[in-house]
mmCIF file of all heavy atoms in Angstrom:
data_model
loop_
_atom_site.group_PDB
_atom_site.id
_atom_site.type_symbol
_atom_site.label_atom_id
_atom_site.label_comp_id
_atom_site.label_asym_id
_atom_site.label_seq_id
_atom_site.Cartn_x
_atom_site.Cartn_y
_atom_site.Cartn_z
ATOM 1 N N ARG L 298 -1.577 15.185 16.478
ATOM 2 C CA ARG L 298 -1.961 15.536 17.850
ATOM 3 C C ARG L 298 -1.083 14.865 18.906
ATOM 4 O O ARG L 298 -1.449 14.833 20.081
ATOM 5 C CB ARG L 298 -3.428 15.139 18.090
ATOM 6 C CG ARG L 298 -4.427 15.784 17.147
ATOM 7 C CD ARG L 298 -4.519 17.274 17.288
ATOM 8 N NE ARG L 298 -4.799 17.725 18.651
ATOM 9 C CZ ARG L 298 -5.072 18.990 18.969
ATOM 10 N NH1 ARG L 298 -5.116 19.930 18.027
ATOM 11 N NH2 ARG L 298 -5.313 19.322 20.225
ATOM 12 N N GLN L 299 0.072 14.315 18.494
ATOM 13 C CA GLN L 299 1.033 13.713 19.425
ATOM 14 C C GLN L 299 0.468 12.525 20.203
ATOM 15 O O GLN L 299 0.870 12.280 21.355
ATOM 16 C CB GLN L 299 1.553 14.748 20.442
ATOM 17 C CG GLN L 299 2.576 15.715 19.922
ATOM 18 C CD GLN L 299 3.397 16.325 21.051
ATOM 19 O OE1 GLN L 299 4.376 15.752 21.496
ATOM 20 N NE2 GLN L 299 2.969 17.492 21.510
ATOM 21 N N LEU L 300 -0.441 11.772 19.625
ATOM 22 C CA LEU L 300 -1.024 10.655 20.363
ATOM 23 C C LEU L 300 -0.008 9.576 20.749
ATOM 24 O O LEU L 300 -0.129 9.002 21.847
ATOM 25 C CB LEU L 300 -2.180 10.046 19.571
ATOM 26 C CG LEU L 300 -3.397 10.951 19.368
ATOM 27 C CD1 LEU L 300 -4.592 10.140 18.892
ATOM 28 C CD2 LEU L 300 -3.759 11.722 20.631
ATOM 29 N N PRO L 301 1.005 9.253 19.901
ATOM 30 C CA PRO L 301 1.996 8.272 20.373
ATOM 31 C C PRO L 301 2.666 8.703 21.682
ATOM 32 O O PRO L 301 2.880 7.891 22.585
ATOM 33 C CB PRO L 301 3.003 8.224 19.216
ATOM 34 C CG PRO L 301 2.200 8.572 18.014
ATOM 35 C CD PRO L 301 1.234 9.613 18.488
ATOM 36 N N HIS L 302 2.969 9.992 21.794
ATOM 37 C CA HIS L 302 3.574 10.526 23.016
ATOM 38 C C HIS L 302 2.624 10.352 24.205
ATOM 39 O O HIS L 302 3.030 9.868 25.281
ATOM 40 C CB HIS L 302 3.904 12.008 22.809
ATOM 41 C CG HIS L 302 4.137 12.764 24.075
ATOM 42 N ND1 HIS L 302 5.281 12.628 24.836
ATOM 43 C CD2 HIS L 302 3.357 13.679 24.724
ATOM 44 C CE1 HIS L 302 5.201 13.408 25.894
ATOM 45 N NE2 HIS L 302 4.054 14.065 25.847
ATOM 46 N N TYR L 303 1.364 10.712 24.022
ATOM 47 C CA TYR L 303 0.432 10.656 25.149
ATOM 48 C C TYR L 303 0.088 9.221 25.549
ATOM 49 O O TYR L 303 -0.159 8.941 26.734
ATOM 50 C CB TYR L 303 -0.834 11.451 24.816
ATOM 51 C CG TYR L 303 -0.596 12.945 24.817
ATOM 52 C CD1 TYR L 303 -0.870 13.717 23.689
ATOM 53 C CD2 TYR L 303 -0.078 13.583 25.938
ATOM 54 C CE1 TYR L 303 -0.644 15.084 23.674
ATOM 55 C CE2 TYR L 303 0.158 14.955 25.938
ATOM 56 C CZ TYR L 303 -0.127 15.702 24.801
ATOM 57 O OH TYR L 303 0.120 17.050 24.802
ATOM 58 N N VAL L 304 0.065 8.310 24.594
ATOM 59 C CA VAL L 304 -0.183 6.906 24.933
ATOM 60 C C VAL L 304 0.948 6.364 25.799
ATOM 61 O O VAL L 304 0.712 5.632 26.774
ATOM 62 C CB VAL L 304 -0.346 6.064 23.649
ATOM 63 C CG1 VAL L 304 -0.287 4.569 23.979
ATOM 64 C CG2 VAL L 304 -1.674 6.383 22.971
ATOM 65 N N ARG L 305 2.178 6.729 25.467
ATOM 66 C CA ARG L 305 3.310 6.281 26.285
ATOM 67 C C ARG L 305 3.260 6.910 27.681
ATOM 68 O O ARG L 305 3.563 6.255 28.682
ATOM 69 C CB ARG L 305 4.629 6.613 25.585
ATOM 70 C CG ARG L 305 4.911 5.712 24.390
ATOM 71 C CD ARG L 305 6.182 6.101 23.652
ATOM 72 N NE ARG L 305 6.546 5.098 22.674
ATOM 73 C CZ ARG L 305 6.071 5.043 21.429
ATOM 74 N NH1 ARG L 305 5.203 5.950 21.030
ATOM 75 N NH2 ARG L 305 6.441 4.084 20.611
ATOM 76 N N GLU L 306 2.876 8.174 27.761
ATOM 77 C CA GLU L 306 2.751 8.815 29.072
ATOM 78 C C GLU L 306 1.615 8.194 29.881
ATOM 79 O O GLU L 306 1.708 8.047 31.102
ATOM 80 C CB GLU L 306 2.527 10.324 28.897
ATOM 81 C CG GLU L 306 3.678 11.066 28.231
ATOM 82 C CD GLU L 306 4.959 11.044 29.044
ATOM 83 O OE1 GLU L 306 4.923 10.683 30.240
ATOM 84 O OE2 GLU L 306 6.019 11.369 28.473
ATOM 85 N N GLN L 307 0.554 7.806 29.206
ATOM 86 C CA GLN L 307 -0.557 7.147 29.897
ATOM 87 C C GLN L 307 -0.093 5.826 30.505
ATOM 88 O O GLN L 307 -0.446 5.492 31.643
ATOM 89 C CB GLN L 307 -1.710 6.885 28.919
ATOM 90 C CG GLN L 307 -2.869 6.127 29.550
ATOM 91 C CD GLN L 307 -3.969 5.819 28.539
ATOM 92 O OE1 GLN L 307 -4.006 6.385 27.464
ATOM 93 N NE2 GLN L 307 -4.844 4.896 28.887
ATOM 94 N N ALA L 308 0.712 5.065 29.718
ATOM 95 C CA ALA L 308 1.194 3.774 30.221
ATOM 96 C C ALA L 308 2.050 3.952 31.470
ATOM 97 O O ALA L 308 2.119 3.061 32.328
ATOM 98 C CB ALA L 308 1.988 3.057 29.136
ATOM 99 N N ALA L 309 2.694 5.121 31.583
ATOM 100 C CA ALA L 309 3.533 5.412 32.752
ATOM 101 C C ALA L 309 2.775 6.194 33.825
ATOM 102 O O ALA L 309 3.377 6.620 34.819
ATOM 103 C CB ALA L 309 4.766 6.201 32.320
ATOM 104 N N ALA L 310 1.463 6.381 33.628
ATOM 105 C CA ALA L 310 0.637 7.163 34.564
ATOM 106 C C ALA L 310 1.237 8.545 34.798
ATOM 107 O O ALA L 310 1.286 9.049 35.928
ATOM 108 C CB ALA L 310 0.475 6.412 35.891
ATOM 109 N N ASN L 311 1.692 9.149 33.703
ATOM 110 C CA ASN L 311 2.369 10.433 33.781
ATOM 111 C C ASN L 311 1.524 11.519 33.120
ATOM 112 O O ASN L 311 1.230 11.437 31.916
ATOM 113 C CB ASN L 311 3.743 10.336 33.108
ATOM 114 C CG ASN L 311 4.567 11.600 33.306
ATOM 115 O OD1 ASN L 311 4.403 12.315 34.301
ATOM 116 N ND2 ASN L 311 5.448 11.879 32.366
ATOM 117 N N TRP L 312 1.129 12.534 33.887
ATOM 118 C CA TRP L 312 0.355 13.666 33.366
ATOM 119 C C TRP L 312 1.340 14.658 32.754
ATOM 120 O O TRP L 312 2.028 15.373 33.480
ATOM 121 C CB TRP L 312 -0.439 14.297 34.499
ATOM 122 C CG TRP L 312 -1.422 15.341 34.069
ATOM 123 C CD1 TRP L 312 -1.199 16.674 33.948
ATOM 124 C CD2 TRP L 312 -2.788 15.132 33.719
ATOM 125 N NE1 TRP L 312 -2.337 17.321 33.537
ATOM 126 C CE2 TRP L 312 -3.341 16.388 33.387
ATOM 127 C CE3 TRP L 312 -3.602 14.000 33.631
ATOM 128 C CZ2 TRP L 312 -4.658 16.558 32.995
ATOM 129 C CZ3 TRP L 312 -4.924 14.160 33.250
ATOM 130 C CH2 TRP L 312 -5.435 15.422 32.933
ATOM 131 N N ALA L 313 1.400 14.693 31.387
ATOM 132 C CA ALA L 313 2.446 15.489 30.737
ATOM 133 C C ALA L 313 1.879 16.263 29.557
ATOM 134 O O ALA L 313 2.160 15.971 28.395
ATOM 135 C CB ALA L 313 3.583 14.574 30.267
ATOM 136 N N PRO L 314 1.067 17.290 29.832
ATOM 137 C CA PRO L 314 0.490 18.058 28.719
ATOM 138 C C PRO L 314 1.549 18.894 28.006
ATOM 139 O O PRO L 314 2.493 19.388 28.625
ATOM 140 C CB PRO L 314 -0.533 18.960 29.411
ATOM 141 C CG PRO L 314 -0.032 19.098 30.813
ATOM 142 C CD PRO L 314 0.625 17.798 31.144
#
Side-chain angles (χ1 to χ4, degrees):
R298 302 295 306 188
Q299 284 201 85
L300 295 194
H302 163 74
Y303 288 123
V304 167
R305 287 177 170 85
E306 297 296 346
Q307 177 183 345
N311 187 28
W312 188 270

